[in-house]
Every structure is written in C-alpha cells, then in structure tokens.
Amino acid sequence: MAKQPKAKTYSFFDDVYDVVRLIPKGRATSYGAIASYLGTKMSARMVGWAMNAVHSDQSVPAHRVVNRNGLLTGRHHFKTPKTMQRLLEKEGIKVKNDKIVDFKTVFWDPAIELN
DNA sequence: GGTCTGACCGGCG
DNA sequence: ACGCCGGCCAGAC
C-alpha cells in the first residue's frame, strides 16, 4: 500500500499508487486506463491529481503514466522537464517530442493485464 | 464551509 | 481536423 502522509481512510489514491507500481518496466499506461480500472473512468483527473500528491514519492513510477495520447503531460512536475523522458528511455521506451513512440504497443492496460 | 483548481477524457460545434 | 465545454472528485485556501 502507499504510504499515507495522513493515516486516513483508504482512498482510491492508494489504489492508483498500487496500479502504477504494478506497471512493468518498459511499459506505460494512461490516466484514463487507471481510472477506468478503478471504476471511476470519468474521473481521470483524479488519477493525475493523485500523482501530484505523490510525485515526490520515488516508490511510485509516475513517469510510466501518461495521457491517452501517450504524451508526457506531467513531465513538468518532475524535478526537471527531462527527468520523465530520460527515465522512460532508460527503460526502453522511445520518446519523441515529449510523446511515447508506438504508444499502443507500449500501452499497458491494467484492466486487461491484471484481469 | 463554499469555491477554485487540477499531470484528463469524451463529446460536440 | 481543431477547439471549446462539461463532468468527475479530492485537496488546498
């Protein structure tokens, strides 16, 4: 489980963190996919918000989470705008213009992979 | 305790 | 094809 700053009620934030941690190396998923897997597909924003709440937590590979276009929308929230891309490329994911190449190939859908 | 905002998504003009 | 708008929910002010 995710370490909760304020030991509060179990929220889907923790579920988000769990799913993100389960993303295999060299793969990436989208906020919407995670939201959908958690049952709140309409609230993909919350997934991004959850990331923002834990972007300082290194245990959560937030760099493997991008938007549905495979665009590294959250790269600016990392220490440096290039951190996200570098991490992805280090895992074998090619990034071009802040966008994942062959995203649908790299795409990892929790609803399917975790089934 | 009401209001604003946010790393999104899907639909419509 | 491109741009705008509404929705969804939790946290910060």
Side-chain angles (χ1 to χ4, degrees):
Chain A
M1 292 298 100
K3 44 180 179 179
Q4 302 177 127
K6 327 171 195 173
K8 234 179 147 186
T9 310
Y10 189 85
S11 66
F12 76 82
F13 270 56
D14 300 300
D15 289 329
V16 172
Y17 306 148
D18 271 350
V19 175
V20 174
R21 288 201 194 89
L22 291 174
I23 301 174
K25 182 182 177 183
R27 294 298 198 91
T29 190
S30 69
Y31 303 95
I34 295 174
S36 180
Y37 175 70
L38 296 180
T40 56
K41 64 177 183 182
M42 279 175 129
S43 310
R45 299 173 123 207
M46 288 291 79
V47 179
W49 198 243
M51 292 292 112
N52 185 32
V54 89
H55 75 85
S56 57
D57 192 330
Q58 299 179 12
S59 67
V60 181
H63 61 277
R64 291 180 190 154
V65 184
V66 296
N67 71 349
R68 76 179 189 285
N69 299 313
L71 201 62
L72 281 54
T73 51
R75 79 201 141 109
H76 205 13
H77 286 263
F78 283 77
K79 291 184 179 181
T80 71
K82 285 195 172 185
T83 303
M84 190 172 187
Q85 178 173 339
R86 196 185 316 166
L87 288 172
L88 288 172
E89 291 181 332
K90 194 165 67 175
E91 297 184 354
I93 299 178
K94 295 184 175 68
V95 178
K96 198 87 172 182
N97 293 330
D98 301 326
K99 187 174 120 258
I100 294 179
V101 179
D102 285 329
F103 180 55
K104 64 180 182 180
T105 301
V106 183
F107 185 70
W108 181 84
D109 189 347
I112 298 175
E113 305 295 335
L114 296 182
N115 194 1

